[in-house]
Amino acid sequence: MRAALLMAASASLFGMMAIAIRFASSEQHAFEIAFFRCLFGALFALPLIRVHGFEILRTRRIGFYLIRCGVGIISMLCGFWALVHLPLAQAVALSYSTPMFITIGAVLVLGEVVRMRRWSAVIVGFIGVLVIVRPSTTDFSVATLVALTAAALSGMVTISIKYLSRTDPPDRIVLLTTLLWVPLSLPFALTVWEWPSAHIWPWLVLSGALGTGGHYCWTRALKMADASALAPLSYLQFLVVGVLAWLLFNETVDTYTLIGAAIVISASLYIARREAQVARQQLNAELAARAKPQL
């Protein structure tokens, strides 16, 4: 129950962060918003040093962190740009295609064996993406491609976490990632720099607080329970964004986005379920091999 509540809180916080980004975008460029999200997010993550001491900053994989955070920054910039230039619900729905890219990356990078049922789910998921973006219509825009790029790069970041989590605890990953994001995002912000107005600062601070809070709840939830069991709750973000965008910006969710999102979410849930089943089968096989008497 605690893990479920943390995952629901994470989805809600990320959804509200998207709303804060949209408010800040009334005057600030998406790249600058991303920098301030990283800056204030890092400040809100600093209390982890007080909890764990400076030992939490030590890692033998700093080079890997730099590569991971570099890819993560490009993903964030693309994602924020999409949130500013697309209807919020559509941008969030497209971000749910990340599990499909993770499956492809797991085959190409990790050498995992993916069988027909998961490949079928990936194909179905991309059909859902096509329903959302409708490339043959006038509604198709560069922003949809940017959103899909963000999802693909986010898949690469998720795969990198699988490597880091083998040696580093979740709090170290969160803290080092947020700290490295600040200098990596600054050059992009400087290309479009304008000092925010007084009424924009609260939204920038809020985006950092909500982002770090969501990341913290997400890592804690995944530590307590199986990812496939928590996956349905992560899609609460779509509901939060859809309702708040309707109330605050008078945005409505069109039928194609709803249908496409339902297809993508269903495919993602199936992929998560199959990955959990495969992981359990591998674990049972390893335990059986260890239990076998040595002759």
Side-chain angles (χ1 to χ4, degrees):
M1 179 59 69
R2 186 179 176 189
L5 290 174
L6 283 170
M7 182 59 75
S10 172
S12 300
L13 290 170
F14 282 133
M16 289 186 287
M17 183 186 72
I19 300 299
I21 292 169
R22 176 57 68 86
F23 273 114
S25 71
S26 63
E27 293 187 8
Q28 305 304 129
H29 193 280
F31 291 179
E32 198 172 351
I33 298 172
F35 166 72
F36 282 113
R37 179 262 180 267
C38 295
L39 177 63
F40 291 117
L43 293 177
F44 283 107
L46 287 179
L48 291 174
I49 297 178
R50 182 176 179 84
V51 174
H52 300 283
F54 285 98
E55 179 67 24
I56 194 67
L57 295 173
R58 297 180 181 177
T59 181
R60 296 179 179 179
R61 312 185 76 175
I62 190 63
F64 194 85
Y65 271 99
L66 286 170
I67 296 173
R68 173 191 181 275
C69 290
V71 175
I73 279 297
I74 302 300
S75 175
M76 182 185 295
L77 294 173
C78 291
F80 278 36
W81 197 88
L83 285 171
V84 171
H85 292 88
L86 284 175
L88 285 172
Q90 187 182 58
V92 172
L94 290 173
S95 73
Y96 291 150
S97 63
T98 293
M100 275 71 83
F101 291 108
I102 292 175
T103 300
I104 296 171
V107 174
L108 299 177
V109 179
L110 301 179
E112 291 186 7
V113 177
V114 175
R115 303 193 186 282
M116 183 54 66
R117 280 188 285 184
R118 269 197 286 175
W119 278 125
S120 299
V122 169
I123 294 171
V124 170
F126 281 121
I127 291 173
V129 169
L130 291 175
V131 172
I132 296 172
V133 302
R134 287 165 287 162
S136 62
T137 68
T138 56
D139 293 329
F140 181 74
S141 66
V142 174
T144 58
L145 295 178
V146 174
L148 289 173
T149 301
L153 294 176
S154 179
M156 294 176 61
V157 172
T158 303
I159 291 172
S160 71
I161 292 177
K162 291 187 177 184
Y163 279 112
L164 290 175
S165 61
R166 295 172 182 174
T167 57
D168 289 10
D171 282 356
R172 179 176 296 155
I173 296 173
V174 170
L175 183 57
L176 287 178
T177 296
T178 54
L179 291 177
L180 288 171
W181 273 347
V182 177
L184 290 174
S185 62
L186 179 58
F188 297 95
L190 290 176
T191 63
V192 292
W193 188 267
E194 288 185 13
W195 280 105
S197 303
H199 68 280
I200 295 296
W201 281 107
W203 298 114
L204 297 174
V205 175
L206 192 60
S207 68
L210 293 170
T212 295
H215 201 179
Y216 182 85
C217 293
W218 179 64
T219 55
R220 282 287 175 279
L222 292 179
K223 187 176 181 180
M224 295 178 184
D226 188 71
S228 62
L230 297 174
L233 292 169
S234 68
Y235 297 110
L236 178 63
Q237 180 185 0
F238 183 74
L239 177 61
V240 171
V241 168
V243 171
L244 290 179
W246 173 61
L247 292 173
L248 299 173
F249 307 116
N250 200 30
E251 290 186 6
T252 57
V253 184
D254 62 68
T255 304
Y256 289 101
T257 299
L258 284 174
I259 295 174
I263 295 172
V264 171
I265 290 172
S266 299
S268 299
L269 289 174
Y270 182 80
I271 290 172
R273 180 171 174 270
R274 285 297 303 162
E275 287 180 347
Q277 289 176 344
V278 171
R280 283 194 292 269
Q281 291 171 358
Q282 292 175 344
L283 178 60
N284 291 335
E286 291 175 3
L287 293 174
R290 292 175 187 175
K292 186 178 181 179
Q294 301 296 318
L295 301 177

